[in-house]
Every structure is written in C-alpha cells, then in structure tokens.
Amino acid sequence: MGRQNRSTNAAPQGKEHFSHSHILKLIVNDPTETETLLTCNACEQPNNSNKPFYGCNTCQYFLHENCFNAPRFLNHPSHPSHPLTLLPIATYSSRSYTCKACDSAGNGFCFSCACCEFDIHLQCASCPSSILVDKHAHQLELHFGSPYEDKDIDYVCDICTEIMNKDDWLYYCAACDFASHLQCAIISPEVSVFPKQQRPIPNSNTNPNPNPNPTPNRNPNATLEMINSANEAHEQIMAAQISAQIAARGREACLDLIAPRRRYSYY
C-alpha cells in the first residue's frame, strides 16, 4: 500500500497497533518529494503533510496518526441500531467493501456492522455534521440519504452537476435546495474528528440519595472493573458477529464456484 522513503528517518520509540504484529515507529516523511510519498494502509490516502505518520519499514505498513488513533468501536448516527467495529480488513471473501456513505470501493480499514453488512470508510465516518464550501453561501448539513420526503425523487449535485445516488450521504442546504456529494464538498478527505460518543447521563431527579453524607465506596476499583467487564463482553459479541459473517461468506464462496455472481463494485 505504500513505499518507503529512502531518506526516511524513524524515531527509536514505537507504538503497538492491533492491526499489525510489529511495532510501528514514527516516520519522518518529506511531503515535497512526491515520488516517495507513503500511503496510509487505513484510509488509503498519501501522507502529503507534515502530520505524524507511523510505519513498519519491514512490511511497508503505514498509518496516519489520526488513523492510528481511530476508536475500535463507534456509535455513529448513520447506523443507530448497532455499534460499528473498526476492521483492518473487510471480512468479505473479496477483502473489499463498498462504502455505504460514498458508494465507492475500499480496501483499507472500515467501520463495519457485521449484522447488517454496513461498512463505511474511516474518512466518511469522521465527516463533520456541517460544512461550509466555496460554491455556496450557507452552511451545508450532513444527511445520510435523500433529503426529500419522496425518496424516489432524482436530484443532482450542485457542484459537479451529476445525478446523485439516493442512498449516498450528502451535504445539503434545505433553504436553497443545494446538494453536494461528500467528495465534492470535502476536496481533500482525511480522518479527523469522529462523532462524540453518546453516553447515558444520570438523571438527578430519579432515585435521589436520601443520605446527604453517603458512605464512600470502599472498593475504588469497582467502577473500573465494571467498565472492563462491559468492554470485554462487547468485544466478545462483535467477535461472534464477525465470525458468523466470515462463515456465511465462506458458504457464499462455495456457491460462487457453482454459479458465480457479483455483488460489489470495484475500481
């Protein structure tokens, strides 16, 4: 996925990442040397800036710092029914996936829901909820599909003038009926800030504590143990879902030997 810069210097310290078996070290990459730009294995975008970049020179495996720090699990408003799991490789037999956000193929990391076969690029998952573009005076809001009540209405991107896929995400100004592809609004996509994770907030009006001087928790590690147990249970559930999907894909691969079919688009 990437090429090593011959003039690259790696810092002695390194970091571990779940996607790779070796320590990833800090890479000093010169973005002005376009012939030696390294490509991130997660987002499949080149490292054309001075931002931190980590890599394994032996395996030619590289990650942007933002991609390196992407959360393992994500509650995204585009798919509220299930949390999304970060996968370094798609579990489909083709090792490729079609992004539900932009309808383009991906071979790098993806946020996936194994139950629903829902997959999105890292950079699509981190798209801001609103954005300003040069082509329009008002702020555009992110929509996860057609902005119209009648979902059969055709509409075009007001930047590139091409007909848009009704299921794709888009940026939209309702006041002016102005729509834009994600890639038209965000010219240089990169993994940035992911949606804030919604966590339940205790309601002070329910179950009030009648004791104004409650007894301190005698076990300070109890809360931490509960959090760790919940995380382990969640990971086990997602692992079981992914294993089930892999098994299903294996059965489909056997069927394809008899009657080949094509479900996903490729570049």
Side-chain angles (χ1 to χ4, degrees):
M1 294 292 294
R3 294 186 302 158
Q4 177 185 356
N5 187 345
R6 294 181 180 177
S7 63
T8 293
N9 295 319
Q13 71 277 12
K15 294 184 178 181
E16 292 183 354
H17 194 267
F18 77 96
S19 67
H20 195 68
S21 58
H22 301 146
I23 296 294
L24 303 182
K25 295 183 178 181
L26 183 64
I27 300 294
V28 180
N29 185 50
D30 187 354
T32 62
E33 298 181 11
T34 56
E35 294 183 356
T36 56
L37 286 179
L38 305 178
T39 301
C40 177
N41 284 68
C43 67
E44 304 179 84
Q45 298 295 318
N47 185 38
N48 52 8
S49 69
N50 291 319
K51 295 182 179 179
F53 204 55
Y54 291 90
C56 172
N57 291 333
T58 302
C59 303
Q60 293 292 281
Y61 188 89
F62 306 101
L63 295 176
H64 290 113
E65 184 177 44
N66 287 347
C67 297
F68 185 101
N69 293 324
R72 293 290 302 276
F73 304 101
L74 182 66
N75 294 314
H76 200 276
S78 66
H79 193 71
S81 53
H82 303 110
L84 305 179
T85 302
L86 182 62
L87 300 179
I89 301 176
T91 57
Y92 306 111
S93 57
S94 63
R95 292 296 184 266
S96 175
Y97 64 93
T98 300
C99 178
K100 294 293 186 181
C102 63
D103 198 36
S104 62
N107 295 286
F109 287 19
C110 67
F111 277 107
S112 175
C113 173
C115 296
C116 305
E117 296 190 0
F118 181 94
D119 309 280
I120 53 178
H121 292 117
L122 265 70
Q123 53 268 43
C124 291
S126 65
C127 282
S129 59
S130 60
I131 194 173
L132 286 171
V133 298
D134 295 337
K135 303 293 184 179
H136 193 67
H138 303 143
Q139 187 167 265
L140 306 181
E141 302 295 330
L142 180 62
H143 287 250
F144 304 124
S146 173
Y148 302 108
E149 292 185 5
D150 184 354
K151 302 304 179 181
D152 293 328
I153 294 178
D154 289 328
Y155 52 94
V156 301
C157 173
D158 288 290
I159 295 180
C160 70
T161 69
E162 292 183 2
I163 296 179
M164 303 180 67
N165 187 327
K166 302 180 184 67
D167 295 325
D168 290 354
W169 299 4
L170 72 155
Y171 281 106
Y172 184 69
C173 173
C176 305
D177 194 25
F178 183 97
S180 168
H181 289 112
L182 298 185
Q183 61 268 28
C184 291
I186 305 176
I187 301 175
S188 300
E190 66 172 294
V191 176
S192 54
V193 180
F194 293 95
K196 292 183 178 180
Q197 300 303 287
Q198 300 298 324
R199 302 183 184 276
I201 301 175
N203 187 346
S204 59
N205 296 326
T206 59
N207 298 326
N209 188 348
N211 185 1
N213 298 310
T215 303
N217 187 358
R218 296 181 180 179
N219 184 5
N221 295 323
T223 301
L224 180 60
E225 291 175 357
M226 292 177 60
I227 294 174
N228 290 337
S229 298
N231 288 338
E232 290 176 2
H234 181 71
E235 290 186 3
Q236 290 175 359
I237 292 172
M238 297 308 300
Q241 292 174 348
I242 294 172
S243 298
Q245 188 183 41
I246 293 174
R249 288 298 169 187
R251 292 192 294 270
E252 289 185 3
C254 294
L255 294 175
D256 287 343
L257 294 176
I258 302 173
R261 57 181 177 173
R262 188 172 184 177
R263 296 181 58 188
Y264 300 95
S265 59
Y266 302 86
Y267 285 131

